[in-house]
Amino acid sequence: MPDDSQAGNFIREIVATDLKTGKHGGRVVTRFPPEPNGYLHIGHAKSICLNFGIAQEFGGSTNLRFDDTNPSKENLEYVQAIQDDVRWLGFDWENRMFYASDYFERLYLSAVHLTSKGKAYVDSLSADDIRRYRGTLTEPGKDSPYRTRSVEENIDLFARMRAGEFPDGTHVLRAKIDMASPNVNMRDPTLYRIRHAAHHRTGDAWCIYPTYDFAHPLSDAIEGITHSLCTLEFEDHRPLYDWVLKESDAQCHPQQIEFARLNLSHTVMSKRKLLDLVEKKLVAGWDDPRLPTLQGLRRRGYTPEAIRAFCEHIGVAKRDGVVEMALLEHFIREDLNRRAPRVMAVLRPLRVVIDNYPEGAEEDLEAINNPEDPNAGTRKLPFSRTLYIEHEDFREVPPKKFFRLTPGQEVRLRYAYIIQCVSIVKDDRTGEVLEVHCTYDPETRSGGPQAGRKVKGTLHWVSAAHALEAEVRLYEHLFLKADAGDVGEGLDYTANLNPNSFERLTGCQVERTLAAAAPLSRYQFERQGYFCLDPDTSDQKLVFNRTVALRDSWAKIEKTQQER
RNA sequence: UGGGGGAUCGUCUAGUGGUAGGACAUCAGCCUUUGGAGCUGAUUACCGUGGUUCGAAUCCACGUCCCCCAGCCA
């Protein structure tokens, strides 16, 4: 059986080759290095699956490392949420959780070492001047007047920076590389900056903080990382990554490998935009079920298994692209189809009275919990004279190919009887259908003598007297266009927000077994989609989120009929 | 116009000189007590132009287009 999940990707190939040649002493150690300045999203899931997956595959290990070198953006809330999310996704860093801030002292010593070698210097230009001196993409930069300070002066100044003698922005430590380099990242990049800010872990022990370019390669080396996987935009930082390791006499030299980050259609993935949506209250929070955050997907009802399968399937390459949301939806449907118990739930109830069913009578009918899983068993569904069916399952004047309830057309009530519409009760003023009267054929009870009779449609239903009321929240794509950033002149991505991405349905009628539903447990509402119990559920109120609708071929038929 | 990357079905991805394959999506059909699921089939791709070769997505040359970089963010 050809299985594309077994297909090699270029990173696996590199690692396999390195293992063969003994490049890193036969070890494979990767790391997942989030900055705790936001919540993890499905793009991070790709990186997590890649890093942990590669290590698992080759018998190596993976560290979780918080890249916490910028105290002004980072906090503990994020540190905790990230751990929670990685664990939820199904990965275990065992005892290997680290922080770049754990290494601040060693990083400082490395900086002193570089300085004493004449490979770093304290610059006292303003940030603006540093930018001016850097040149442009097409013109070389020029040396800072402070570039020629003596080693002694640099050492002294850097020590005093650490000691807190200078306000923010007055000095930085820079690598001394080449102001004329065609790679602007090599034009004496900043290694340390002064920030009189409390750090979420080190408090006020430090007022100078290393930059990513300095801290990252050294943190990797300290941890003995063999393969440092990152996204494409760091590609032209690689010469700097290598420079830092070489000049710092690092004990090992991890290999940085870049891959394309995940983009998903109909959503946004940048931390900035996600934060923006949350802060402007355009969504309900980081766990809003419309967001591609792991917390949002979890609340929406996504399973870790589905997300992992998705990440495995999309592969890893260097060309950037946009994965269709439909692919993600495919994987959650596939997973939930196998495991979600089926239940009856009527979202927009229409009252149905079975005129020839004895008043006051009721009976229990047997229903299969999951046709895909024989072990899931069966349950009893109460049936009575007054039922609810889906409002859209009845049409007084049916369009072509409408196989549901309509005057004169028999339909089956799932696991129950075949019924037929005999009359309609309408609102005199609005003409709205309020109630449908039907007759049933007692011979057609499930398992009965006439049960096999062919009818075009089968409807889900609940018994009015036995059903529970629930709130159901429906979600659509957060953005109208596949590319959220595709907006007109002068507009930003929020112009593409889908005004109908959230719809709250109240007065839904669900079968009573749902009273026992556990938080975040997932169900298939027959003929509707997959739903999970929202944490907003209370003793008073059941609340469900629609994870994803079932594929709906009738909707397609109807749509093409309307287009004609 | 400097540097670094990248171009294969609509989308994502295999391919490493020898039949361009898979998944999603789309469209048909079968089946069905979920218009679900499942099954079958179909459509659709090597950025362009030259060259090397018996043979090129793959090697070479010249183009074209797209992405990233001028934070004391990561």
Side-chain angles (χ1 to χ4, degrees), chain A residues 19 26-29 52-61:
Chain A
L19 229 34
R27 293 175 314 122
V28 176
V29 184
F52 280 89
I54 288 275
Q56 265 164 29
E57 186 179 334
F58 292 99
S61 57

Side-chain angles (χ1 to χ4, degrees), chain A residues 372-420:
Chain A
E372 304 292 321
D373 177 9
N375 298 321
T378 62
R379 69 191 185 287
K380 298 291 189 190
L381 251 27
F383 185 87
S384 66
R385 190 168 190 265
T386 307
L387 315 168
Y388 291 115
I389 64 165
E390 208 65 57
H391 214 290
E392 64 172 25
D393 282 341
F394 175 78
R395 287 289 188 82
E396 188 179 7
V397 184
K400 270 199 184 83
K401 293 189 179 170
F402 185 82
F403 298 155
R404 283 113 99 141
L405 190 63
T406 171
Q409 180 165 270
E410 285 193 322
V411 294
R412 187 187 310 275
L413 293 177
R414 182 117 156 114
Y415 300 126
Y417 299 94
I418 291 175
I419 60 169
Q420 193 169 165

Side-chain angles (χ1 to χ4, degrees), chain A residues 303-360:
Chain A
T303 61
E305 290 83 358
I307 293 173
R308 279 190 256 124
F310 169 78
C311 289
E312 189 57 44
H313 182 91
I314 56 175
V316 181
K318 294 197 71 157
R319 75 184 89 109
D320 37 23
V322 182
V323 176
E324 288 173 345
M325 188 66 86
L327 188 62
L328 215 210
E329 293 174 344
H330 161 77
F331 281 100
I332 189 60
R333 283 197 189 99
E334 183 182 61
D335 189 23
L336 262 19
N337 176 50
R338 269 189 293 112
R339 5 193 268 187
R342 273 58 170 170
V343 294
M344 297 287 205
V346 177
L347 269 29
R348 297 175 177 89
L350 172 64
R351 178 180 287 262
V352 170
V353 179
I354 312 292
D355 289 342
N356 61 339
Y357 194 85
E359 227 155 319

Side-chain angles (χ1 to χ4, degrees), chain A residues 429-500:
Chain A
R429 290 184 306 270
T430 64
E432 188 198 354
V433 176
L434 299 175
E435 189 173 286
V436 174
H437 285 257
C438 295
T439 56
Y440 83 118
D441 179 349
E443 299 282 289
T444 58
R445 185 195 215 253
S446 258
Q450 288 292 313
R453 205 157 87 210
K454 293 291 177 211
V455 292
K456 289 275 188 127
T458 300
L459 308 187
H460 61 281
W461 54 275
V462 292
S463 165
H466 301 89
L468 265 24
E469 195 164 309
E471 173 178 323
V472 174
R473 300 172 181 175
L474 305 181
Y475 303 100
E476 299 285 343
H477 295 160
L478 223 206
F479 290 89
L480 292 167
K481 291 187 179 177
D483 176 6
D486 178 16
V487 286
E489 193 76 25
L491 296 171
D492 75 351
Y493 73 101
T494 58
N496 273 334
L497 245 10
N498 177 3
N500 304 120

Side-chain angles (χ1 to χ4, degrees), chain A residues 197-211:
Chain A
H199 184 280
H200 67 97
R201 293 194 80 237
T202 60
D204 50 12
W206 294 87
C207 64
I208 57 172
Y209 293 93
T211 57

Side-chain angles (χ1 to χ4, degrees), chain A residues 141-161:
Chain A
K142 57 183 180 187
D143 290 0
S144 162
Y146 301 100
R147 199 177 201 261
T148 51
R149 283 213 254 238
S150 68
V151 167
E152 293 68 32
E153 190 183 3
N154 283 323
I155 297 278
D156 174 60
L157 249 17
F158 187 46
R160 290 165 60 196
M161 281 168 65

